[in-house]
């Protein structure tokens, strides 16, 4: 039985409000968390705020453009964009081309602050390609290795290149969005479970394959075993959250950002936010991302076709799961990994690509059909175990 839904005539204003709220909070926190370091290093406390504002302006314009563009028109660009991402992920590993920072080659610079982070672009490219590729397969999803094997090879190749940078956190986010889209597309539970176990095993192996990653896992289990070394960042992040208390130290009054917290305006910005705004700051951020996830799922359920439903699913899982990973790392719920908090952390590529993703999500919601998208469902037989 299909439930008739009213055709959407306006954009999802709740989603727009949430994203703009996160963006405004992010700009304030970037200025607060980076001002002292920018003043010491560049003699300009507003340097990082200015850079982030430029990216935010461009990102908002891109969001508006893609929101007004019919997402079906992106189909011809899905494969070329994916090929471009593969090339960039390889090029960034070439010495002398990829810019290394903290032992990782994640950026390709074009001069000054202008550059691109291929791993960020890979999230959008993979979501686009899988939405149109899986959406076109219909009932054939999970029916044969002709679908499962190419899916596993494609996702595995992209995540392997991202891990090689190294950037295990982003690779996990990419794997999560791909698995979510495959599941929603109607995968057989047996094959989906096998891929999930394989992905989890490979992620666990990657987490302990390198000495510094193994040290992160051991530090997660007991950060106080090396409080001045491997456990320093974890402990300082917890200190920041604790110092904030219920009401916070006040915007700009963080002590941990002044030489204690590594990367206070990127990976650890959630800790600075908790210290300055108190308990209510992190709760507000969690509520905003929860609302973003809810609106994204709602858009996916009301999408006019399979491609739209899969695209909305991928983008929603990408943004919500990445936010959870960042906040969980700061709260010491999972081992340390470097990943930005969407729309809040400093980072041009992450911000721009994230806002483009929101624009596409708005486009899917704007074209919500009178009937929800019909994705493959299990016919009820015991031999066809597929996701519902």
């Amino acid at each position: 039985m299909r439930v008739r839904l009213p055709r959407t005539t306006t954009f999802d204003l709740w989603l727009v409000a949430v994203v703009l709220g996160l963006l405004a909070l992010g700009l304030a926190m970037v200025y607060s968390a980076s001002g002292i370091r920018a003043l010491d290093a560049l003699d300009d406390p507003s340097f990082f705020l200015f850079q982030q504002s430029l990216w935010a302006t461009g990102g908002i314009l891109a969001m508006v453009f893609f929101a007004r563009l019919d997402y079906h028109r992106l189909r011809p660009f899905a494969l070329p964009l994916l090929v471009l991402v593969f090339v960039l992920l390889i090029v960034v590993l070439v010495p002398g081309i990829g810019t290394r920072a903290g032992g990782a080659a994640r950026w390709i610079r074009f001069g000054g602050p202008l550059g691109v982070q291929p791993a960020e672009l890979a999230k959008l490219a993979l979501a686009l390609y899988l939405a149109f590729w899986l959406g076109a397969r219909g009932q054939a999803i999970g029916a044969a290795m002709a679908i499962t094997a190419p899916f596993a090879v494609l996702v595995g190749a992209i995540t392997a290149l991202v891990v090689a940078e190294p950037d295990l956190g982003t690779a996990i986010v990419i794997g999560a969005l791909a698995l979510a889209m495959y599941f929603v597309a109607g995968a057989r539970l047996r094959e989906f479970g096998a891929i999930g176990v394989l992905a989890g095993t490979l992620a666990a192996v990657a987490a302990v394959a390198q000495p510094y990653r193994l040290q992160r896992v051991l530090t997660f289990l007991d950060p106080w075993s090396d409080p001045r070394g491997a456990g320093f960042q974890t402990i300082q992040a917890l200190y920041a959250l604790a110092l904030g208390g219920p009401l916070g130290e006040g915007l700009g009054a963080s002590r941990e950002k002044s030489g204690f917290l590594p990367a206070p305006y990127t990976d650890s910005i959630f800790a600075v936010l908790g210290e300055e705004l108190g308990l209510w700051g992190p709760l507000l951020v969690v509520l905003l991302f929860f609302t973003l996830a809810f609106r994204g799922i709602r858009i996916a359920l009301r999408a006019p076709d399979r491609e739209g439903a899969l695209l909305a699913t991928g983008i929603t899982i990408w943004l919500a799961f990445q936010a959870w990973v960042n906040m969980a790392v700061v709260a010491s719920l999972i081992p340390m990994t470097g990943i930005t908090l969407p729309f809040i952390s400093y980072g041009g590529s992450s911000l721009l690509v994230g806002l483009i993703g929101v624009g596409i999500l708005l486009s899917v919601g704007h074209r919500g059909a009178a009937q929800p998208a019909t994705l493959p469902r299990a016919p009820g037989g015991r031999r066809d175990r597929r996701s519902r």
Side-chain angles (χ1 to χ4, degrees):
M1 178 180 177
R2 293 179 178 177
V3 179
R4 296 187 66 83
L5 298 174
R7 180 174 295 276
T8 301
T9 57
T10 60
F11 294 102
D12 191 327
L13 298 183
W14 278 103
L15 179 59
V16 174
V18 165
V19 172
L20 293 180
L22 286 169
L23 188 57
L25 181 60
L27 290 174
M29 293 311 306
V30 165
Y31 180 58
S32 175
S34 66
I36 294 177
R37 296 197 177 190
L39 180 63
D40 291 341
L42 304 167
D43 199 29
D44 181 5
S46 62
F47 175 81
F48 293 105
L49 172 63
F50 179 73
Q51 298 295 329
Q52 188 77 343
S53 298
L54 289 179
W55 283 106
T57 301
I60 291 175
L61 293 177
M63 181 181 72
V64 172
F65 172 80
F66 282 97
R68 299 182 64 85
L69 179 70
D70 186 349
Y71 64 92
H72 295 98
R73 296 190 176 186
L74 298 174
R75 182 191 298 270
F77 303 97
L79 181 57
L81 181 61
L82 187 68
V83 173
L84 175 62
V85 164
F86 265 111
V87 173
L88 292 177
L89 287 173
I90 294 173
V91 169
V92 77
L93 300 176
V94 178
I97 298 180
T99 301
R100 303 192 69 88
R106 302 179 184 177
W107 294 267
I108 299 177
R109 299 292 185 187
F110 303 109
L114 186 62
V116 63
Q117 195 169 349
E120 294 294 336
L121 188 59
K123 303 169 190 173
L124 178 62
L126 187 62
L128 275 174
Y129 181 78
L130 288 180
F132 292 115
W133 184 66
L134 292 174
R137 296 310 184 268
Q139 295 291 337
I141 299 295
M145 290 302 292
I147 303 297
T148 305
F151 169 83
V153 171
L154 171 64
V155 178
I158 291 180
T159 54
L161 288 172
V162 175
V163 170
E165 292 185 357
D167 190 354
L168 182 59
T170 299
I172 292 175
V173 172
I174 291 173
L177 80 87
L179 286 174
M181 294 179 70
Y182 184 60
F183 179 82
V184 171
R188 290 180 184 271
L189 298 183
R190 181 175 58 185
E191 295 180 2
F192 176 81
I195 294 178
V197 170
L198 177 61
T201 302
L202 293 176
V205 171
V208 299
Q210 297 292 333
Y212 77 93
R213 289 181 184 152
L214 177 60
Q215 184 61 52
R216 286 182 176 180
V217 175
L218 298 176
T219 300
F220 164 72
L221 298 175
D222 183 14
W224 295 99
S225 62
D226 188 10
R228 296 182 179 274
F232 184 78
Q233 183 170 351
T234 299
I235 293 173
Q236 295 305 317
L238 293 175
Y239 272 156
L241 294 176
L243 289 171
L247 300 179
E249 300 284 350
L251 188 62
S254 169
R255 287 171 282 178
E256 289 295 319
K257 68 184 180 185
S258 303
F260 295 98
L261 266 177
Y265 49 92
T266 53
D267 300 346
S268 303
I269 198 168
F270 187 67
V272 178
L273 185 148
E275 183 182 2
E276 295 188 348
L277 302 184
L279 176 63
W280 298 107
L283 286 180
L284 174 62
V285 172
V286 171
L287 177 62
L288 289 175
F289 276 110
F290 180 83
T291 305
L292 184 151
F294 174 78
R295 304 306 295 188
I297 293 172
R298 185 174 181 271
I299 289 173
L301 291 173
R302 299 190 176 200
D305 51 31
R306 295 172 179 173
E307 289 82 1
L310 291 170
L311 193 53
T313 298
I315 293 173
T316 301
I317 293 298
W318 149 29
L319 296 174
F321 183 70
Q322 180 172 329
W324 178 84
V325 170
N326 178 276
M327 293 183 287
V329 166
V330 170
S332 194
L333 298 177
I334 59 176
M336 184 68 63
T337 183
I339 195 168
T340 58
L341 184 58
F343 312 120
I344 294 182
S345 295
Y346 175 79
S349 294
S350 175
L351 182 58
L352 178 62
V353 175
L355 288 172
I356 290 175
V358 172
I360 297 173
L361 191 58
L362 289 169
S363 175
V364 176
H366 182 56
R367 289 158 181 83
Q371 295 179 343
T374 56
L375 290 170
R377 294 180 180 272
R382 301 186 65 179
R383 293 185 179 182
D384 191 358
R385 300 294 185 180
R386 303 179 68 178
S387 63
R388 294 180 179 269

